[in-house]
Amino acid sequence: MHRLKRIAIKVGSNVLSRDDGSLDVTRMSALVDQIACLHREGLEMILISSGAVASGKNEIRVKGKLDDVSARQLYSAVGQAKLINRYYDFFREHGITCGQVLTTKESLGTRNHYLNQKNCISVMLENKVIPIMNENDTISVTELMFTDNDELSGMIAAMMDVEALIILSNIDGIYTGLPTDPDSEVIREIDLEKDITAYIHTSKSAFGRGGMATKYRIARKVAREGIEVVIANGKTENILPRILRRNTEVVYSRFVPSVKASSGVKKWIAHSDSFAKGEIHINANAAKALTGEKAISLLPVGIVSVKGDFEKDDIVRIIDGEGEVIGVGKASYDSEKTRELIGRKGNKPVVHYDYLYLE
Ligand code: GLU
């Protein structure tokens, strides 16, 4: 028996689609069987399932040409209904209730919205309902969308304090070369200290929006927060129980989590970089101090310039002399006040360490 209490599982569009793009109901039913079995053992699970757009596309014949936004809205509206219906019926056969949570990036942008969303999932779990989440593609504004559901799953994993995030895709994990090359092997354990970006191939998947590059970026970020992350093949038989029981015959990539877990607020900030309202540019000394071993807050003395207009408590990016983003944090002052304080000594931090996430 596994010893975990709560996990998040992300199911990619490619896992749920057949080669012709239709919804693979056999696969879906097999995954539900696995989840139902783990549910009976008392494991709490949050499912982040893609596949709305892919399954909607196969459902309707469109007359004429549709622009990208209209196509996404139409297909996701139809496909999400189909998807959740199937899940509902499959879980029902096991006597389990599931519920649908559709969200947008904007509805996780402020701390208040974030906590409200967290409350929704918590109350579902408390009542033994399995949350099935997806981005609401019918109302998501292109510029403000999640890169893909990998990004959404990372945010949810951090928000819900899960112990593990399992990302199911249609390949076995991260390979040492091209997955199609017979000499490539799956890297079974990924150490956060080692940089393996050279192994990450940027090709996109056939039906979803994501690719290995975002999976890797999100997996690292989540593992740094103390959460175990696994990238595995959702088409492998009985994959979920086998991962959780640490079956060594099945191949997948596991990111070894940091021992030091981050606080709830820090986790929220870590996943909030795309909500940043401004930039704080700092000098080399400040950059060195922040990225060193000690826990240090960003003081006005290290700031060289401030860009954008932000309010107190807004998220800001912290940028070093080379123009690299080294972190994100919650501003203790608005942009006007921060500008006044540039270079001054003896003031309170502009970003306190407790509200600072370093890349
Ligand atoms: N939300 C999209 C869908 O359900 C998937 C996004 C992704 O591919 O990650 O179709």
Side-chain angles (χ1 to χ4, degrees):
M1 267 267 283
H2 58 84
R3 51 195 163 74
L4 302 182
K5 288 200 180 68
R6 181 184 288 180
I7 66 168
I9 304 162
K10 188 257 167 174
V11 186
S13 298
N14 277 302
V15 179
L16 299 178
S17 308
R18 293 203 181 91
D19 292 343
D20 64 359
S22 61
L23 190 62
D24 189 344
V25 280
T26 317
R27 177 68 44 215
M28 213 173 162
S29 152
L31 281 171
V32 169
D33 290 348
Q34 297 170 41
I35 295 169
C37 167
L38 297 166
H39 180 86
R40 278 192 294 272
E41 290 171 6
L43 181 67
E44 288 182 339
M45 281 159 290
I46 302 147
L47 207 59
I48 299 95
S49 178
S50 304
V53 173
S55 60
K57 224 179 240 172
N58 223 265
E59 204 64 15
I60 23 175
R61 292 278 152 267
V62 177
K63 287 196 209 96
K65 244 184 114 45
L66 280 180
D67 63 83
D68 287 354
V69 174
S70 308
R72 194 177 67 227
Q73 290 178 323
L74 176 67
Y75 296 145
S76 65
V78 175
Q80 183 64 30
K82 189 173 152 190
L83 198 68
I84 202 71
N85 257 315
R86 288 287 190 181
Y87 273 124
Y88 198 87
D89 289 344
F90 284 139
F91 276 115
R92 241 229 145 122
E93 283 173 27
H94 292 276
I96 297 170
T97 313
C98 66
Q100 169 176 271
V101 181
L102 296 180
T103 192
T104 60
K105 196 166 198 172
E106 266 190 307
S107 41
L108 295 163
T110 68
R111 185 93 182 127
N112 240 343
H113 281 98
Y114 180 88
L115 293 176
N116 184 44
Q117 185 74 93
K118 180 174 180 174
N119 185 61
C120 165
I121 302 169
S122 304
V123 73
M124 290 172 86
L125 293 175
E126 274 159 30
N127 288 285
K128 308 265 175 275
V129 174
I130 298 187
I132 303 182
M133 302 195 66
N134 197 357
E135 180 165 15
N136 188 349
D137 292 317
T138 65
I139 54 160
S140 285
V141 184
T142 312
E143 305 79 61
L144 293 174
M145 282 180 80
F146 288 104
T147 320
D148 49 43
N149 271 356
D150 298 320
E151 192 186 2
L152 171 64
S153 70
M155 196 178 246
I156 300 303
M159 170 164 106
M160 297 313 297
D161 282 324
V162 300
E163 293 152 284
L165 165 65
I166 301 178
I167 300 179
L168 295 179
S169 153
N170 61 347
I171 59 166
D172 290 345
I174 297 180
Y175 283 81
T176 52
L178 277 174
T180 44
D181 182 345
D183 289 335
S184 310
E185 276 177 18
V186 169
I187 313 175
R188 288 184 175 236
E189 286 234 325
I190 297 169
D191 186 337
L192 292 177
E193 298 302 317
K194 288 205 193 99
D195 183 12
I196 58 150
T197 32
Y199 294 137
I200 310 299
H201 298 279
T202 46
S203 58
K204 284 262 158 99
S205 52
F207 299 112
R209 287 208 300 273
M212 202 41 96
T214 15
K215 283 189 183 50
Y216 177 63
R217 182 171 60 84
I218 300 297
R220 274 182 67 86
K221 185 181 267 193
V222 173
R224 278 184 60 191
E225 288 156 7
I227 298 169
E228 183 172 359
V229 184
V230 166
I231 298 181
N233 196 333
K235 299 201 175 197
T236 305
E237 216 190 309
N238 226 13
I239 186 73
L240 293 170
R242 287 165 89 190
I243 294 172
L244 292 167
R245 293 187 180 120
R246 314 237 175 251
N247 181 320
T248 50
E249 276 162 31
V250 61
V251 178
Y252 55 83
S253 296
R254 168 181 180 263
F255 288 72
V256 184
S258 278
V259 191
K260 221 176 99 213
S262 326
S263 71
V265 170
K266 266 196 188 266
K267 283 184 192 165
W268 170 63
I269 291 170
H271 291 268
S272 296
D273 51 342
S274 52
F275 307 125
K277 295 272 165 44
E279 292 179 356
I280 297 186
H281 291 251
I282 61 172
N283 63 27
N285 279 345
K288 205 168 149 216
L290 286 182
T291 50
E293 287 292 301
K294 277 207 211 131
I296 282 181
S297 302
L298 174 62
L299 299 170
V301 68
I303 301 178
V304 282
S305 66
V306 174
K307 292 209 173 110
D309 286 318
F310 50 87
E311 302 290 321
K312 176 180 179 296
D313 292 340
D314 274 348
I315 300 290
V316 288
R317 289 200 183 92
I318 297 159
I319 316 237
D320 70 7
E322 259 96 70
E324 291 283 328
V325 179
I326 61 162
V328 271
K330 193 160 78 123
S332 315
Y333 307 104
D334 63 22
S335 45
E336 201 179 320
K337 179 82 187 156
T338 311
R339 280 193 185 94
E340 273 172 33
L341 293 174
I342 291 178
R344 286 220 210 142
K345 286 199 182 132
N347 279 83
K348 278 205 306 212
V350 171
V351 177
H352 190 276
Y353 179 75
D354 289 348
Y355 302 101
L356 174 66
Y357 170 80
L358 296 163
E359 295 287 334

